[in-house]
């Protein structure tokens, strides 16, 4: 949008990852392969990693308070069960760090109505009755930008559906830097990709796998047991042809592509290497391989989630500790932002 403006190079910033998931119900295989599995991969010596349960984003649509508390802990359990280690990554919930909302207000004043009106997720979620959507749902991407930039995060791993929000985050950083004549906020790199950046519905290869799809057969839930996973994958829509041995052969075959991509992502392979092995096989042969791999990878995660959920106090302790570490980073960045903007801090 404002490419002509000089923006600070990411080299000047600590390499820091931020991402978040909403505690708004039902975790799917899409959340795991598109997001959390990649969060775990980035938890290494190259990056500082910060992962957040974004409860303030969740209430942009109605949430029952008891359910919200439960689901906030559930996402924290999902993070840990998937391999995020609280001694390596900062894990916390958004509302425990008020700096997000504080910077969010500043960004409400940086972002433009026209930018927000282009957000496809708002249009999808608000549906036909946009007049009745909350103001928070409309302003949501400015809070998301604040989540990221209050840590000066340089890299944000997300699924493909968040791409537009990350472009908006970049536009907000660029406009803030430009308006105030500073090189303060980094222009964050989205980390989107891999075979499962967009996991599709098991019933319709043209639709995203989503917790809100009315058909439970369309998705694998992280809470599904082995029998349910097997049943859903056996019933997954396919086509009558054998699998190709090269990627071009998946063109025009969205359901076949999706199942191969899921198989690849679960096994840390590329679609290309998978096809080299399974090319020529019928789905009747491939599906049992997929079931075996899915159950082998997913069952330990759901088992560990259940175990962690037995001890809510321990989850709260981890989140509390994470929020203190998060605030230690966010607070000075917010203070400096206030200073740049001209907010008197007597
Ligand atoms: P949400 O559950 O909408 O808060 O999404 C949390 C994260 O999971 C985001 O990074 C999404 O992009 C990612 N995600 C959700 N559904 C999918 C999907 N079907 N395929 C890939 N990533 C997804
Ligand atoms: N908008 C994201 C989603 O719906 C969740 C989210 C909120 C997020 N803040 C974030 C993701 C910051 C990455 C970084 O999935």
């Amino acid at each position: 949008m404002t490419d002509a403006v000089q923006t600070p190079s990411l080299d000047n910033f600590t390499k820091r990852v931020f991402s978040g998931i909403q505690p708004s119900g039902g975790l799917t295989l899409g959340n795991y392969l598109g997001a959390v599995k990649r969060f775990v991969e980035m938890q290494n010596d190259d990056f500082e990693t910060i992962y957040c349960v974004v409860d303030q984003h969740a209430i942009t649509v109605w949430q029952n308070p008891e359910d919200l508390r439960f689901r906030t802990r559930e996402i924290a359990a999902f993070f840990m069960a998937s391999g995020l280690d609280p001694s390596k990554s900062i894990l916390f919930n958004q509302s425990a760090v008020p700096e997000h909302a504080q910077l969010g207000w500043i960004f409400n004043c940086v972002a433009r109505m026209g930018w927000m009106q282009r957000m496809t997720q708002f249009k999808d979620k608000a549906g036909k009755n946009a007049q009745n959507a909350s103001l928070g749902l409309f302003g949501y991407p400015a809070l998301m930008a604040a989540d990221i930039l209050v840590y000066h995060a340089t890299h944000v791993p997300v699924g493909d559906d968040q791409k537009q929000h990350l472009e908006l985050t970049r536009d907000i950083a660029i406009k803030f830097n430009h308006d105030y004549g500073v090189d303060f906020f980094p222009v964050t790199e989205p980390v989107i990709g891999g075979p499962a950046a967009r996991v599709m519905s098991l019933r319709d290869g043209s639709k995203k796998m989503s917790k809100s799809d009315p058909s439970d057969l369309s998705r694998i839930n992280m809470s599904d047991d082995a029998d349910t996973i097997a049943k859903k994958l056996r019933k997954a829509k396919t086509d009558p042809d054998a699998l190709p041995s090269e990627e071009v052969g998946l063109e025009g075959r969205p359901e076949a592509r999706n199942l191969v991509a899921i198989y690849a992502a679960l096994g840390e392979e590329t679609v290309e290497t998978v096809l080299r092995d399974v090319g020529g096989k019928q789905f009747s042969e491939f599906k049992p391989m997929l079931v075996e791999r899915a159950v082998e990878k997913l069952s330990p995660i759901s088992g560990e989630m259940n175990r962690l959920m037995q001890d809510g106090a321990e989850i709260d302790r981890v989140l509390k500790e994470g929020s203190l570490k998060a605030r230690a980073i966010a607070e000075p960045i917010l203070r400096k932002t206030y200073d740049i903007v001209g907010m008197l801090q007597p």
Side-chain angles (χ1 to χ4, degrees):
M1 203 165 285
T2 34
D3 273 350
V5 175
Q6 203 56 41
T7 55
S9 153
L10 285 184
D11 298 345
N12 301 333
F13 293 89
T14 306
K15 283 173 85 180
R16 191 175 280 149
V17 173
F18 181 94
S19 196
I21 296 198
Q22 297 190 56
S24 50
L27 285 160
T28 71
L29 181 64
N31 295 129
Y32 178 61
L33 294 179
V36 176
K37 186 165 182 292
R38 326 213 32 241
F39 300 178
V40 178
E41 287 158 11
M42 297 190 86
Q43 176 184 254
N44 59 41
D45 295 342
D46 288 344
F47 292 101
E48 248 178 68
T49 43
I50 308 177
Y51 298 119
C52 184
V53 188
V54 287
D55 49 5
Q56 288 169 307
H57 276 96
I59 60 162
T60 55
V61 298
W62 169 252
Q63 303 294 332
N64 172 288
E66 267 319 302
D67 293 349
L68 183 61
R69 263 185 284 274
F70 178 85
R71 286 173 176 157
T72 300
R73 294 192 181 107
E74 189 177 52
I75 304 268
F78 176 44
F79 281 169
M80 289 187 272
S82 304
L84 292 180
D85 174 351
S87 71
K88 294 190 186 143
S89 291
I90 299 178
L91 309 179
F92 72 106
N93 61 307
Q94 186 183 29
S95 60
V97 179
E99 285 78 5
H100 291 235
Q102 290 174 288
L103 185 61
W105 180 257
I106 307 260
F107 288 170
N108 279 341
C109 303
V110 174
R112 305 287 95 185
M113 290 292 286
W115 301 1
M116 303 312 241
Q117 275 158 350
R118 283 195 285 275
M119 294 294 115
T120 56
Q121 186 175 301
F122 175 76
K123 291 183 211 166
D124 291 347
K125 282 202 177 179
K128 290 195 184 73
N129 202 0
Q131 289 299 312
N132 201 35
S134 74
L135 185 55
L137 188 67
F138 185 70
Y140 165 123
L143 179 61
M144 176 162 164
D147 297 336
I148 296 165
L149 294 174
V150 83
Y151 301 100
H152 276 184
T154 54
H155 295 79
V156 181
V158 279
D160 185 63
D161 60 335
Q162 295 301 312
K163 195 171 177 178
Q164 197 184 30
H165 289 158
L166 291 183
E167 276 157 15
L168 188 100
T169 300
R170 292 163 63 91
D171 288 337
I172 288 178
I174 292 168
K175 181 164 165 58
F176 181 98
N177 289 343
H178 174 256
D179 289 354
Y180 291 101
V182 290
D183 271 354
F184 187 60
F185 287 115
V187 180
T188 301
E189 271 313 316
V191 184
I192 301 173
R198 193 172 184 83
V199 179
M200 307 310 277
S201 156
L202 300 178
R203 307 300 300 165
D204 176 352
S206 68
K207 283 203 319 210
K208 193 183 80 162
M209 181 181 287
S210 157
K211 55 193 160 204
S212 56
D213 193 301
S215 164
D216 196 52
L217 283 176
S218 71
R219 63 182 157 260
I220 308 274
N221 303 303
M222 292 310 292
S223 54
D224 286 343
D225 61 22
D227 288 346
T228 311
I229 293 174
K231 183 182 88 184
K232 287 177 176 176
L233 289 175
R234 272 200 303 271
K235 291 198 168 172
K237 188 174 168 199
T238 51
D239 56 41
D241 297 336
L243 285 162
S245 30
E246 282 171 36
E247 247 190 293
V248 283
L250 290 173
E251 265 165 37
R253 301 178 65 188
E255 285 85 12
R257 166 179 293 282
N258 188 41
L259 295 184
V260 172
I262 291 172
Y263 184 82
L266 284 168
E268 335 273 340
E269 293 186 80
T270 62
V271 166
E272 204 183 8
T273 55
V274 168
L275 290 179
R276 228 175 280 147
D277 290 345
V278 304
K281 285 193 200 302
Q282 297 293 333
F283 281 101
S284 55
E285 226 180 316
F286 175 66
K287 277 185 170 180
M289 293 168 65
L290 176 59
V291 169
E292 189 184 320
R293 187 176 274 190
V295 169
E296 180 193 315
K297 297 283 172 176
L298 302 178
S299 291
I301 299 176
S302 59
E304 180 62 2
M305 261 173 87
N306 288 337
R307 192 190 69 76
L308 291 166
M309 285 299 279
Q310 303 301 311
D311 189 354
E314 173 58 14
I315 293 177
D316 292 3
R317 194 195 59 73
V318 168
L319 291 176
K320 166 90 192 181
E321 201 180 289
S323 72
L324 296 175
K325 291 187 201 159
R327 280 199 90 174
I329 303 172
E331 204 264 340
I333 292 176
L334 180 73
R335 205 164 350 105
K336 179 74 183 151
T337 310
Y338 275 6
D339 190 39
I340 291 169
V341 171
M343 301 271 167
L344 194 65
Q345 297 165 82

